[in-house]
Amino acid sequence: ALWIACHRNYIAIVSLLLNSGKADVSKADNEGQTPLFVACAQDNTAVINLLLKHGQQQRKLAFLDVREGGYESALSSPVRVSDECAHTVDVTGRSVLFAACQYNRSATVRLLCKQPEFLELINLPRHNGDAPLAVACLHGHRDIIKILLSVGSDQGEGGATATGATATPTGEGGIGAGAAVGVTVHLDATNGDGDSALHLVCRQQAVDLAALLIEHGASTITLDDCGQDALLYISNEEDR
């Protein structure tokens, strides 16, 4: 019931089920997708906030139980969304952040990137090697790319934050939580085909996105499995 309510954005029902104390927030479907996962995939931010708030409340209860010596009660408390479900992946290895990036759910990506436990997923690849930034580049999701690059940046979305191979959160003007947990976006990570994020946007002739990645420190000399650097794919297309 909770899974369906989260998927269909039935906010009142989700709230009722969570308050009942009987809902299993960690229960996944046959694809390995939890209620939080489907809420993120559908961009149901109100539901996501309810799940996160529920997780925070359960953490507080567990903490109080431990402080008072109630170790058994703390261990048997309901699954906590923020720290346990945050790192759950589906059968293809997709995290909740990955799914939001893949489906172009910009509101959800912004929301998740404000939570340190979800920022830790920013470089987690699915089974084929694609990380969240790579899948956003593959589909040309400009807003998602800018959000990921601006995590913790004082430059805002799309502003330069690094001169090396990572986009490093540096201030409070961007998403904000990245600097606190030392998160960096691995710009030059490659997938199973040897493609970096820059390769993926160059294959699509997305010159503006290529410029944005390079501005943030993406390497122009990384080679794919064919031995080609990313910019060669743009020049080859222009020569035709």
Side-chain angles (χ1 to χ4, degrees):
L2 179 63
W3 193 99
I4 294 174
C6 290
H7 183 271
R8 297 181 181 178
N9 204 30
Y10 295 160
I11 300 170
I13 295 177
V14 171
S15 179
L16 180 65
L17 291 172
L18 292 177
N19 290 334
S20 73
K22 299 178 180 179
D24 185 356
V25 297
S26 65
K27 186 175 183 179
D29 65 0
N30 292 336
E31 299 297 321
Q33 298 176 4
T34 62
L36 179 62
F37 187 102
V38 295
C40 291
Q42 296 298 318
D43 213 22
N44 296 337
T45 55
V47 168
I48 296 169
N49 275 315
L50 283 175
L51 292 170
L52 295 181
K53 183 178 180 181
H54 175 76
Q56 292 167 355
Q57 291 172 340
Q58 296 306 317
R59 275 204 302 271
K60 288 180 180 179
L61 289 175
F63 176 73
L64 290 174
D65 283 338
V66 171
R67 280 186 58 185
E68 295 173 4
Y71 298 103
E72 181 177 352
S73 176
L75 293 173
S76 63
S77 63
V79 177
R80 292 165 282 173
V81 171
S82 294
D83 47 10
E84 295 193 34
C85 290
H87 295 86
T88 300
V89 297
D90 72 357
V91 294
T92 65
R94 298 183 302 167
S95 68
V96 294
L97 180 59
F98 186 100
C101 292
Q102 180 179 11
Y103 298 128
N104 202 22
R105 310 307 195 191
S106 58
T108 294
V109 173
R110 284 192 183 92
L111 175 59
L112 295 180
C113 284
K114 293 177 181 178
Q115 312 292 328
E117 58 267 41
F118 294 104
L119 273 176
E120 295 171 2
L121 307 174
I122 204 165
N123 296 306
L124 182 68
R126 61 175 170 179
H127 295 332
N128 73 346
D130 283 333
L133 178 62
V135 77
C137 289
L138 178 65
H139 295 289
H141 295 330
R142 283 168 168 76
D143 288 344
I144 301 298
I145 294 168
K146 291 177 180 179
I147 294 167
L148 294 177
L149 292 177
S150 70
V151 168
S153 169
D154 57 4
Q155 300 291 329
E157 290 179 18
T161 60
T163 56
T166 57
T168 308
T170 59
E172 298 178 354
I175 297 299
V181 294
V183 171
T184 58
V185 180
H186 297 168
L187 295 179
D188 297 330
T190 56
N191 62 16
D193 297 319
D195 290 327
S196 66
L198 187 59
H199 280 94
L200 295 171
V201 297
C202 286
R203 288 178 185 274
Q204 300 174 61
Q205 310 306 304
V207 178
D208 61 328
L209 292 179
L212 180 63
L213 290 171
I214 293 170
E215 180 185 2
H216 278 77
S219 172
T220 59
I221 61 174
T222 299
L223 304 181
D224 63 12
D225 286 354
C226 297
Q228 307 290 346
D229 66 73
L231 296 181
L232 184 64
Y233 290 103
I234 291 180
S235 60
N236 281 348
E237 183 69 19
E238 291 178 343
D239 291 340
R240 293 177 185 175

